[in-house]
Amino acid sequence: MELSAILFYVFTLLTLGSAAYMVFSKNIVNAAFALIFSLSGVAALYVLLYADFIAATQILVYVGGILILILFGIMLTTLDFTENLKTVTVNMLPASLLSGAVAVLLLYVFLSAEWTTIVPADRDGTMYDLGMMLMNEYLLPFQIAGVLLLVAIIGALLMSTRHKNEP
Amino acid sequence: MQTQIKEGFQTFKSIFIGMGITLRHFFQPSVTIQYPEVRDVLPAGARSKLFVNIDDCIGCNLCARACPVNCIDIETVKATADIDLGKTSTGNPKRLWVTQFDIDMSKCMYCDLCVHPCPTNCIYMVQEYEYSEFDRKNLIFKFSDLTPDKVIEVKEKLVKETEEKNREKELAQQKKDQEKEKDAGKTGE
Amino acid sequence: MLEFLENIIPSSTIALVVFALFPLVLILVYALFAIWAERKIAGFIQDRLGPMRTGGFHGWAQTIADMLKLIQKEDIIPKDASSFLFKLAPFMIFTASYAAFAVIPFSSGYIGSNINIGAFYLLAITSFLTISIIMASWASNNKWSLVGGMRTAAQMVSYEVPTIVTVLSVLIVASSMNLMTITEMQTGNDIMGFLPNWFIFQNPFLIVAFALFFISMLAESHRVPFDLPESESELVAGYQTEYSGMRWGMFMLAEYADMLLLSLLGATLFFGGWNSPFGTFMSGPVWGFGWFMLKGMLLVFVMMWIRWTLPRYRVDQLMHICWSILIPLSFVNFVLVALWEMIF
């Protein structure tokens, strides 16, 4: 087997294994740590797909940002998170129906799509192409996403600020 | 805004002043003394270990009495009449055998009080400070130069002399008593 | 260098492994002597001598002896600790520091992986450091560790922003993220006739950017005055409290590797990487490596020098410095750097 194929299976196993652990774990902090490995595995898969920029972004945003905030949130908000914080399973039936439906949909897409193998001719271009696309073709969505984030930040600030005249 | 800029400038200035000071010290020679190879010169009056010049000791026990923690243990035996112990270097006549002169340095508190009463200046502090031991008993320093045999001999001699003296005394007493009795008999008859 | 290794080693896989192990050897040797140097510098600054006995000349083998001692120590895992995460965290933190060295151009002949997003990859992979410190602190099940971990999370997430913005201001001057290309752009001595073409001389606002980068670098590698995650006097040892033996050694190694990594990044971005300051004089792959390490070591020395000069900041002061001084300043400076580049 080729080295890249071995790496692909290793990282797939890492991604799926830690995702499964995350779902079935009762301890919420352990689940969060499992999520890190799952997302890093996804980043590694991106690298294998010659999408190095996306991979680095995945790590920077998810591992460096979101997961730290999740852990931070768990640790700051709960006083006795070490022992009593457990996840419980609720809405068993609707959840399994929904996920089953999504799985069927994904399988359908996977089976019906016409897969073609393309050889990336030049892997140097990803950054340049991405920048060009963001600044020309998709400028409006890009800007709207920026405005949305700004609104979210202002909203978060408003929610977290305590007003002095209110009790 | 202006004060903030001023404060920021002050902060940076003080950081650079501090770093200048540490850099100056970085290049200064260090003050460390590499102990076993290099030794610091102790001050003249350093008190680190007691020493007894036993040749000069007259066994007067003044030092032991001065000691606040009773770390000096002296035993003396009177010299018999046939022996002349000589004189100390200060001219005091020696009349006692010093059979035991023990100083327990684990008890000593280095107060120097035993040094001053000594009439012959034979007990004093020396500048030796490396005498750590694994056994506490080894910290009892024995200064008496008499061998155990000599001590026994000296003691026996003294006992003999005392006995002789006592006998002489008794004899003298008996003589006196007899004479008294004679006198009493004379007068009584 | 890979081609050279493939020529002398018959198996290409082994050649690849040897090629990849080079930064590891470098980190290990560097860490041994950096810890020794740190103690010596601390000693000299405080008018002492530091370690003098082990190994003859100025105790140079002190850290080696310490490492031997650490290896022999008992590996203690607290009963109530989360055992798997507790064991994993030291390896993860070291892996993260080691992985970041992949994109550092050590000389014109050696770079682990010459990828286009070098600088971005480096900043991304160092976020594993934060997560492993949080992992260690939570898994230890100890209040000191946890407080240290929380501080780390807050500090590193905050200081990532000025670091990234200052790195970005270099990247817009270089218009590349490839660290090798960035270094090659700084070759030559053209500024005012004699100054080397380093970025710090090319743009006056990059001097400010370097100052900001250096401050946030101190915080990122949690060195004094931003060593709140460990702050010995308050938190015992912060996130490392429960660790002992070689696991603790891994943390120590990762900390020093992190210092070296950020110093080398600073040297690459601002001081011309492996370029010789004298133009073509004493340049070449081997000399280049020497120059690069010299620049990195100088920055490491300044970090140590600062450590033994300044006291530690409080948590609120730390956050204040970051959010209300460094971040606005770095953004303003970023715009000014871009403007200067546009005009000249």
Side-chain angles (χ1 to χ4, degrees):
Chain A
M1 225 179 342
E2 258 185 280
L3 189 66
S4 58
I6 297 172
L7 284 176
F8 172 76
Y9 286 115
V10 166
F11 284 118
T12 314
L13 219 67
L14 177 76
T15 311
L16 292 181
S18 31
Y21 184 84
M22 190 209 94
V23 172
F24 294 115
S25 171
K26 288 266 181 266
N27 187 326
I28 195 165
V29 183
N30 279 350
F33 280 122
L35 189 58
I36 294 167
F37 292 106
S38 187
L39 292 171
S40 324
V42 172
L45 292 180
Y46 281 140
V47 172
L48 291 174
L49 292 172
Y50 295 97
D52 47 3
F53 185 76
I54 309 269
T57 316
Q58 169 93 2
I59 291 176
L60 186 70
V61 171
Y62 283 100
V63 178
I66 289 176
L67 268 163
I68 289 177
L69 287 184
I70 287 177
L71 285 168
F72 212 61
I74 294 168
M75 289 177 182
L76 271 187
T77 45
T78 338
L79 286 173
D80 46 0
F81 63 91
T82 43
E83 287 152 27
N84 302 330
L85 199 67
K86 304 276 193 231
T87 50
V88 284
T89 317
V90 289
N91 300 335
M92 199 78 127
L93 190 67
S96 42
L97 278 180
L98 195 67
S99 42
V102 173
V104 167
L105 189 71
L106 283 174
L107 266 178
Y108 174 72
V109 171
F110 179 74
L111 291 173
S112 64
E114 288 174 16
W115 298 99
T116 49
T117 315
I118 50 162
V119 181
D122 185 15
R123 49 176 275 204
D124 289 354
T126 49
M127 274 274 301
Y128 182 79
D129 291 345
L130 258 174
M132 278 316 209
M133 274 185 182
L134 276 180
M135 285 297 149
N136 295 324
E137 216 170 315
Y138 298 102
L139 184 61
L140 191 65
F142 183 64
Q143 292 295 331
I144 288 174
V147 172
L148 187 72
L149 284 175
L150 187 68
V151 170
I153 290 171
I154 294 170
L157 272 176
L158 264 180
M159 278 165 76
S160 57
T161 314
R162 288 195 188 85
H163 296 288
K164 274 176 191 162
N165 43 8
E166 280 176 27
Chain B
M1 186 71 192
Q2 212 167 8
T3 51
Q4 267 182 343
I5 289 172
K6 222 178 201 173
E7 273 173 21
F9 178 71
Q10 282 294 328
T11 311
F12 266 93
K13 200 178 144 194
S14 62
I15 284 174
F16 282 116
I17 289 170
M19 300 213 11
I21 290 169
T22 44
L23 192 67
R24 209 164 54 234
H25 279 274
F26 183 79
F27 290 111
Q28 266 173 15
S30 72
V31 294
T32 310
I33 290 161
Q34 297 258 74
Y35 160 62
E37 287 95 35
V38 188
R39 275 150 214 266
D40 205 358
V41 180
L42 290 181
R47 308 172 193 166
S48 30
K49 190 185 174 188
L50 275 172
F51 180 76
V52 179
N53 184 5
I54 201 69
D55 290 339
D56 275 3
C57 182
I58 55 167
C60 64
N61 217 12
L62 278 177
C63 50
R65 260 183 272 164
C67 182
V69 291
N70 293 335
C71 72
I72 303 175
D73 208 356
I74 298 176
E75 188 193 75
T76 49
V77 173
K78 221 170 151 191
T80 42
D82 55 329
I83 286 168
D84 182 23
L85 282 172
K87 282 186 175 181
T88 65
S89 57
T90 47
N92 303 46
K94 284 164 82 173
R95 296 197 180 89
L96 299 167
W97 290 104
V98 183
T99 52
Q100 189 194 10
F101 199 121
D102 291 358
I103 300 180
D104 190 346
M105 285 312 288
S106 61
K107 279 189 199 164
C108 179
M109 59 184 237
Y110 309 97
C111 61
D112 217 21
L113 286 178
C114 52
V115 174
H116 300 294
C118 186
T120 60
N121 292 334
C122 75
I123 181 166
Y124 46 85
M125 289 279 184
V126 286
Q127 303 206 336
E128 189 199 333
Y129 47 88
E130 295 154 310
Y131 53 93
S132 51
E133 290 285 349
F134 285 103
D135 193 347
R136 216 177 295 152
K137 280 174 196 153
N138 294 342
L139 282 173
I140 302 173
F141 291 92
K142 298 181 191 324
F143 289 100
S144 174
D145 56 353
L146 298 180
T147 56
D149 294 343
K150 181 81 177 167
V151 171
I152 293 166
E153 190 199 315
V154 164
K155 279 184 181 168
E156 275 171 0
K157 249 185 176 176
L158 180 70
V159 171
K160 239 182 245 166
E161 203 193 55
T162 347
E163 272 174 9
E164 235 163 64
K165 266 187 182 169
N166 283 353
R167 209 178 309 134
E168 272 172 24
K169 257 186 195 169
E170 253 170 55
L171 280 174
Q173 194 72 35
Q174 274 174 4
K175 248 185 185 172
K176 261 186 186 171
D177 287 352
Q178 278 173 0
E179 276 172 17
K180 267 186 186 171
E181 262 171 45
K182 264 184 192 169
D183 290 349
K186 270 181 187 170
T187 48
E189 274 175 22
Chain C
M1 186 162 161
L2 186 57
E3 286 164 13
F4 172 70
L5 281 174
E6 274 170 346
N7 281 337
I8 56 167
I9 297 170
S11 160
S12 66
T13 317
I14 294 174
L16 200 66
V17 169
V18 170
F19 183 72
L21 279 180
F22 169 72
L24 182 67
V25 175
L26 182 82
I27 294 171
L28 290 174
V29 173
Y30 153 79
L32 287 178
F33 285 94
I35 294 171
W36 171 76
E38 171 120 47
R39 293 162 130 184
K40 292 307 274 190
I41 290 170
F44 288 150
I45 282 180
Q46 293 163 2
D47 289 347
R48 296 183 285 115
L49 283 171
M52 286 298 284
R53 304 268 165 217
T54 326
F57 175 73
H58 271 266
W60 64 271
Q62 185 62 52
T63 328
I64 298 169
D66 287 347
M67 277 289 154
L68 285 176
K69 188 197 79 174
L70 276 180
I71 289 168
Q72 293 168 39
K73 282 215 165 186
E74 188 188 352
D75 180 25
I76 300 167
I77 297 167
K79 205 180 87 201
D80 289 338
S82 172
S83 172
F84 177 70
L85 293 178
F86 188 84
K87 286 179 196 160
L88 182 67
F91 297 106
M92 207 164 125
I93 193 169
F94 185 68
T95 311
S97 331
Y98 178 37
F101 277 90
V103 292
I104 295 281
F106 284 102
S107 89
S108 52
Y110 185 91
I111 178 166
S113 172
N114 196 2
I115 51 173
N116 259 328
I117 53 158
F120 188 54
Y121 163 83
L122 198 150
L123 293 171
I125 207 84
T126 44
S127 57
F128 270 104
L129 294 173
T130 324
I131 215 94
S132 9
I133 288 176
I134 295 178
M135 192 187 277
S137 66
W138 184 78
S140 300
N141 200 4
N142 174 319
K143 56 185 169 187
W144 308 121
S145 301
L146 194 67
V147 174
M150 304 296 275
R151 285 182 177 186
T152 317
Q155 177 178 335
M156 307 244 315
V157 168
S158 311
Y159 276 87
E160 227 160 50
V161 182
T163 316
I164 289 177
V165 174
T166 44
V167 170
L168 212 58
S169 41
V170 177
L171 296 185
I172 54 166
V173 177
S175 62
S176 169
M177 277 199 191
N178 187 330
L179 288 172
M180 195 60 142
T181 319
I182 289 175
T183 315
E184 277 160 5
M185 285 176 77
Q186 303 177 57
T187 312
N189 283 36
D190 299 327
I191 298 169
M192 292 172 4
F194 65 98
L195 276 179
N197 282 351
W198 300 348
F199 280 141
I200 195 152
F201 300 126
Q202 284 195 13
N203 187 325
F205 294 108
L206 278 183
I207 299 171
V208 184
F210 174 70
L212 296 172
F213 173 80
F214 191 78
I215 294 168
S216 28
M217 179 176 115
L218 285 175
E220 279 276 296
S221 55
H222 27 90
R223 298 280 303 174
V224 175
F226 306 110
D227 68 331
L228 288 130
E230 290 152 55
S231 47
E232 297 94 344
S233 48
E234 306 161 26
L235 294 181
V236 190
Y239 62 89
Q240 317 164 341
T241 307
E242 292 291 350
Y243 282 90
S244 59
M246 213 45 221
R247 285 184 206 283
W248 179 82
M250 296 286 270
F251 276 115
M252 194 74 174
L253 204 62
E255 196 192 315
Y256 276 85
D258 202 21
M259 255 169 88
L260 178 69
L261 174 75
L262 288 165
S263 300
L264 291 181
L265 179 68
T268 312
L269 293 178
F270 296 96
F271 296 103
W274 40 258
N275 282 309
S276 156
F278 311 115
T280 51
F281 177 64
M282 297 216 291
S283 63
V286 180
W287 276 113
F289 177 71
W291 284 118
F292 189 50
M293 289 322 276
L294 181 71
K295 288 167 190 173
M297 289 306 132
L298 271 177
L299 284 180
V300 169
F301 170 73
V302 174
M303 283 165 99
M304 290 175 177
W305 177 15
I306 287 177
R307 173 170 179 186
W308 299 106
T309 307
L310 299 180
R312 183 185 306 129
Y313 280 112
R314 272 196 330 256
V315 181
D316 59 321
Q317 289 171 332
L318 180 90
M319 287 297 152
H320 174 79
I321 290 171
C322 182
W323 288 104
S324 37
I325 298 171
L326 283 183
I327 290 180
L329 259 182
S330 57
F331 273 112
V332 169
N333 192 56
F334 174 69
V335 174
L336 289 173
V337 169
L339 275 178
W340 181 276
E341 279 304 302
M342 262 172 70
I343 295 164
F344 295 98

